[in-house]
Amino acid sequence: MERRNMDRHHVMNAKELRASAANAEPPPGLSPALAALWHLTRDEWDAAHNLAQSDHSRDGAWVHAHLHRVEGDLANADYWYRRADRPPSKAPLADEWEEIATSLLTAECT
């Protein structure tokens, strides 16, 4: 399986994903869910939402839930948590972003 987000020696972590938002383009090879988190870091909610909505996986649903928490639409967020098969998060938004990013980046490297 091809590894994404890294060269042969380095796996991107959540801190590096967040820092990469200073660049004009996301790092190459991000999944739609991770690209959505990248756009969210840049306050590009619409771009993030479009990517999450296009990702029909549980990961996409998890990011989609987080996006609706960010906008304050908790009823919609709850729907997407159910689609992701995850309990609704009560964590601070920044902590949940970190949890999602870490989980998705780790999963891409296994």
Side-chain angles (χ1 to χ4, degrees):
M1 175 179 192
E2 179 183 335
R3 291 182 172 190
R4 295 180 182 171
N5 309 320
M6 67 183 125
D7 60 25
R8 293 237 181 260
H9 306 289
H10 180 74
V11 177
M12 180 181 286
N13 62 38
K15 182 179 178 181
E16 292 165 329
L17 178 64
R18 186 178 296 280
S20 75
N23 301 328
E25 297 291 327
L30 292 181
S31 67
L34 282 167
L37 290 176
W38 184 88
H39 282 284
L40 180 60
T41 300
R42 293 173 52 88
D43 292 324
E44 298 170 351
W45 193 92
D46 289 335
H49 187 256
N50 288 338
L51 283 161
Q53 199 162 21
S54 73
D55 184 341
H56 302 289
S57 71
R58 285 185 177 168
D59 293 343
W62 191 14
V63 172
H64 204 155
H66 178 71
L67 289 167
H68 285 295
R69 273 192 76 212
V70 167
E71 79 169 336
D73 187 352
L74 300 183
N76 204 353
D78 286 347
Y79 168 81
W80 288 103
Y81 282 117
R82 287 191 302 276
R83 294 279 306 264
D85 197 26
R86 294 189 171 272
S89 179
K90 304 296 184 216
L93 292 170
D95 291 352
E96 185 185 24
W97 185 99
E98 182 92 15
E99 176 188 1
I100 296 168
T102 298
S103 178
L104 298 183
L105 287 164
T106 301
E108 286 196 355
C109 295
T110 58

